[in-house]
Amino acid sequence: RQVVRLFRLHVLVDLLTSNFDALNHLTGEGDLRMAFQRIAENLRPGGHLYFDLVTPCQPIAGEVVYARRMNARSQQVIQRIRWDASRRSISIVVSTRSANSVRPAVEVHRERVYSFDEVGRWLMDAGFVIRGVHDAATLLVASGCPARIIVVAQKAMLSKN
């Protein structure tokens, strides 16, 4: 468990993954760029980075509320998701109410979406070659502007000079 902007392993590895919008949670200026640098430092030459991202191509207009019951009678979870296109940000409020609780437990999550240009430039600056960009909904090669993508990048091999 580490802050990805300061990520450091004891040994170099062949594969690093980041799933479930984890990199979208890097909302500060330069955070994702720094994360790619740190990740590259922890991969062997030729190693791979596999990650998913929510893109600025969000189909959400305004606010969307998802409600779902868990364990039918004992717990209810409500998610409110708001997309702010002007700030390229997503706010998620998760409210969980149990049958035996007076007040719900509330979690607040903030995410930032990054343009394809930013992600590509920052990966290349960190020494990666992009091997694939896929639509996360279909797993096909991304075309158009999918709402979520999966990226496979490879750390460049050392030159033999």
mmCIF file of all heavy atoms in Angstrom, residues 56-74:
data_model
loop_
_atom_site.group_PDB
_atom_site.id
_atom_site.type_symbol
_atom_site.label_atom_id
_atom_site.label_comp_id
_atom_site.label_asym_id
_atom_site.label_seq_id
_atom_site.Cartn_x
_atom_site.Cartn_y
_atom_site.Cartn_z
ATOM 1 N N PRO A 56 -12.758 11.531 -21.035
ATOM 2 C CA PRO A 56 -13.640 12.698 -21.094
ATOM 3 C C PRO A 56 -14.890 12.460 -21.941
ATOM 4 O O PRO A 56 -15.743 13.330 -22.045
ATOM 5 C CB PRO A 56 -12.772 13.782 -21.748
ATOM 6 C CG PRO A 56 -11.388 13.304 -21.682
ATOM 7 C CD PRO A 56 -11.447 11.814 -21.594
ATOM 8 N N CYS A 57 -15.001 11.288 -22.527
ATOM 9 C CA CYS A 57 -16.140 10.960 -23.389
ATOM 10 C C CYS A 57 -17.287 10.384 -22.567
ATOM 11 O O CYS A 57 -17.950 9.435 -22.984
ATOM 12 C CB CYS A 57 -15.700 9.972 -24.457
ATOM 13 S SG CYS A 57 -14.253 10.519 -25.353
ATOM 14 N N GLN A 58 -17.499 10.916 -21.395
ATOM 15 C CA GLN A 58 -18.534 10.425 -20.492
ATOM 16 C C GLN A 58 -19.925 10.593 -21.092
ATOM 17 O O GLN A 58 -20.265 11.662 -21.561
ATOM 18 C CB GLN A 58 -18.492 11.186 -19.168
ATOM 19 C CG GLN A 58 -17.505 10.652 -18.192
ATOM 20 C CD GLN A 58 -17.895 9.276 -17.712
ATOM 21 O OE1 GLN A 58 -19.051 8.972 -17.463
ATOM 22 N NE2 GLN A 58 -16.924 8.421 -17.612
ATOM 23 N N PRO A 59 -20.717 9.550 -21.044
ATOM 24 C CA PRO A 59 -22.095 9.680 -21.524
ATOM 25 C C PRO A 59 -23.035 10.279 -20.478
ATOM 26 O O PRO A 59 -24.193 10.531 -20.755
ATOM 27 C CB PRO A 59 -22.480 8.221 -21.804
ATOM 28 C CG PRO A 59 -21.672 7.445 -20.808
ATOM 29 C CD PRO A 59 -20.369 8.205 -20.650
ATOM 30 N N ILE A 60 -22.518 10.521 -19.283
ATOM 31 C CA ILE A 60 -23.359 11.042 -18.207
ATOM 32 C C ILE A 60 -23.593 12.530 -18.432
ATOM 33 O O ILE A 60 -22.666 13.287 -18.609
ATOM 34 C CB ILE A 60 -22.695 10.831 -16.831
ATOM 35 C CG1 ILE A 60 -22.523 9.338 -16.561
ATOM 36 C CG2 ILE A 60 -23.500 11.487 -15.723
ATOM 37 C CD1 ILE A 60 -21.689 9.046 -15.326
ATOM 38 N N ALA A 61 -24.829 12.931 -18.412
ATOM 39 C CA ALA A 61 -25.161 14.355 -18.527
ATOM 40 C C ALA A 61 -25.730 14.797 -17.186
ATOM 41 O O ALA A 61 -26.775 14.317 -16.764
ATOM 42 C CB ALA A 61 -26.176 14.571 -19.643
ATOM 43 N N GLY A 62 -25.039 15.671 -16.497
ATOM 44 C CA GLY A 62 -25.526 16.146 -15.198
ATOM 45 C C GLY A 62 -25.297 15.131 -14.114
ATOM 46 O O GLY A 62 -24.182 14.714 -13.867
ATOM 47 N N GLU A 63 -26.375 14.682 -13.488
ATOM 48 C CA GLU A 63 -26.255 13.746 -12.369
ATOM 49 C C GLU A 63 -27.034 12.482 -12.674
ATOM 50 O O GLU A 63 -28.139 12.526 -13.204
ATOM 51 C CB GLU A 63 -26.803 14.389 -11.099
ATOM 52 C CG GLU A 63 -26.660 13.510 -9.881
ATOM 53 C CD GLU A 63 -27.110 14.192 -8.602
ATOM 54 O OE1 GLU A 63 -28.213 14.750 -8.598
ATOM 55 O OE2 GLU A 63 -26.371 14.144 -7.630
ATOM 56 N N VAL A 64 -26.440 11.350 -12.349
ATOM 57 C CA VAL A 64 -27.098 10.064 -12.500
ATOM 58 C C VAL A 64 -27.120 9.411 -11.128
ATOM 59 O O VAL A 64 -26.129 9.433 -10.412
ATOM 60 C CB VAL A 64 -26.337 9.165 -13.502
ATOM 61 C CG1 VAL A 64 -26.977 7.793 -13.586
ATOM 62 C CG2 VAL A 64 -26.304 9.817 -14.876
ATOM 63 N N VAL A 65 -28.248 8.856 -10.739
ATOM 64 C CA VAL A 65 -28.367 8.189 -9.446
ATOM 65 C C VAL A 65 -28.614 6.708 -9.683
ATOM 66 O O VAL A 65 -29.506 6.334 -10.425
ATOM 67 C CB VAL A 65 -29.528 8.787 -8.606
ATOM 68 C CG1 VAL A 65 -29.691 8.016 -7.304
ATOM 69 C CG2 VAL A 65 -29.292 10.260 -8.348
ATOM 70 N N TYR A 66 -27.753 5.891 -9.080
ATOM 71 C CA TYR A 66 -27.916 4.448 -9.137
ATOM 72 C C TYR A 66 -28.322 3.983 -7.750
ATOM 73 O O TYR A 66 -27.685 4.350 -6.770
ATOM 74 C CB TYR A 66 -26.597 3.762 -9.506
ATOM 75 C CG TYR A 66 -26.085 4.118 -10.869
ATOM 76 C CD1 TYR A 66 -25.139 5.116 -11.034
ATOM 77 C CD2 TYR A 66 -26.549 3.455 -11.998
ATOM 78 C CE1 TYR A 66 -24.662 5.444 -12.285
ATOM 79 C CE2 TYR A 66 -26.089 3.779 -13.252
ATOM 80 C CZ TYR A 66 -25.144 4.768 -13.388
ATOM 81 O OH TYR A 66 -24.682 5.099 -14.629
ATOM 82 N N ALA A 67 -29.359 3.204 -7.658
ATOM 83 C CA ALA A 67 -29.757 2.649 -6.368
ATOM 84 C C ALA A 67 -29.786 1.134 -6.509
ATOM 85 O O ALA A 67 -30.293 0.609 -7.493
ATOM 86 C CB ALA A 67 -31.126 3.164 -5.960
ATOM 87 N N ARG A 68 -29.217 0.459 -5.520
ATOM 88 C CA ARG A 68 -29.289 -0.994 -5.561
ATOM 89 C C ARG A 68 -29.314 -1.522 -4.135
ATOM 90 O O ARG A 68 -28.697 -0.967 -3.240
ATOM 91 C CB ARG A 68 -28.175 -1.570 -6.408
ATOM 92 C CG ARG A 68 -26.881 -1.731 -5.786
ATOM 93 C CD ARG A 68 -25.867 -2.268 -6.772
ATOM 94 N NE ARG A 68 -24.644 -1.582 -6.421
ATOM 95 C CZ ARG A 68 -23.716 -1.232 -7.225
ATOM 96 N NH1 ARG A 68 -23.822 -1.499 -8.484
ATOM 97 N NH2 ARG A 68 -22.660 -0.611 -6.810
ATOM 98 N N ARG A 69 -30.045 -2.566 -3.962
ATOM 99 C CA ARG A 69 -30.151 -3.193 -2.649
ATOM 100 C C ARG A 69 -29.182 -4.360 -2.570
ATOM 101 O O ARG A 69 -29.043 -5.114 -3.518
ATOM 102 C CB ARG A 69 -31.558 -3.719 -2.412
ATOM 103 C CG ARG A 69 -32.552 -2.634 -2.189
ATOM 104 C CD ARG A 69 -33.843 -3.218 -1.614
ATOM 105 N NE ARG A 69 -34.826 -2.176 -1.502
ATOM 106 C CZ ARG A 69 -34.898 -1.330 -0.503
ATOM 107 N NH1 ARG A 69 -34.057 -1.415 0.487
ATOM 108 N NH2 ARG A 69 -35.823 -0.408 -0.471
ATOM 109 N N MET A 70 -28.551 -4.457 -1.426
ATOM 110 C CA MET A 70 -27.672 -5.590 -1.181
ATOM 111 C C MET A 70 -28.276 -6.379 -0.032
ATOM 112 O O MET A 70 -28.775 -5.801 0.923
ATOM 113 C CB MET A 70 -26.277 -5.086 -0.819
ATOM 114 C CG MET A 70 -25.652 -4.255 -1.915
ATOM 115 S SD MET A 70 -24.084 -3.545 -1.443
ATOM 116 C CE MET A 70 -23.072 -5.007 -1.418
ATOM 117 N N ASN A 71 -28.244 -7.664 -0.138
ATOM 118 C CA ASN A 71 -28.837 -8.547 0.873
ATOM 119 C C ASN A 71 -30.305 -8.218 1.089
ATOM 120 O O ASN A 71 -30.822 -8.265 2.192
ATOM 121 C CB ASN A 71 -28.076 -8.473 2.194
ATOM 122 C CG ASN A 71 -26.643 -8.921 2.050
ATOM 123 O OD1 ASN A 71 -26.331 -9.712 1.173
ATOM 124 N ND2 ASN A 71 -25.776 -8.399 2.884
ATOM 125 N N ALA A 72 -30.972 -7.801 0.046
ATOM 126 C CA ALA A 72 -32.403 -7.489 -0.011
ATOM 127 C C ALA A 72 -32.959 -6.713 1.186
ATOM 128 O O ALA A 72 -33.318 -5.569 1.044
ATOM 129 C CB ALA A 72 -33.203 -8.745 -0.262
ATOM 130 N N ARG A 73 -33.004 -7.308 2.357
ATOM 131 C CA ARG A 73 -33.673 -6.662 3.486
ATOM 132 C C ARG A 73 -32.740 -5.885 4.404
ATOM 133 O O ARG A 73 -33.178 -5.019 5.136
ATOM 134 C CB ARG A 73 -34.395 -7.715 4.316
ATOM 135 C CG ARG A 73 -35.493 -8.389 3.551
ATOM 136 C CD ARG A 73 -36.173 -9.429 4.424
ATOM 137 N NE ARG A 73 -37.035 -10.246 3.593
ATOM 138 C CZ ARG A 73 -36.793 -11.485 3.265
ATOM 139 N NH1 ARG A 73 -35.734 -12.104 3.712
ATOM 140 N NH2 ARG A 73 -37.625 -12.145 2.503
ATOM 141 N N SER A 74 -31.456 -6.206 4.384
ATOM 142 C CA SER A 74 -30.594 -5.664 5.430
ATOM 143 C C SER A 74 -29.761 -4.447 5.027
ATOM 144 O O SER A 74 -29.284 -3.735 5.894
ATOM 145 C CB SER A 74 -29.664 -6.750 5.963
ATOM 146 O OG SER A 74 -28.815 -7.174 4.926
#
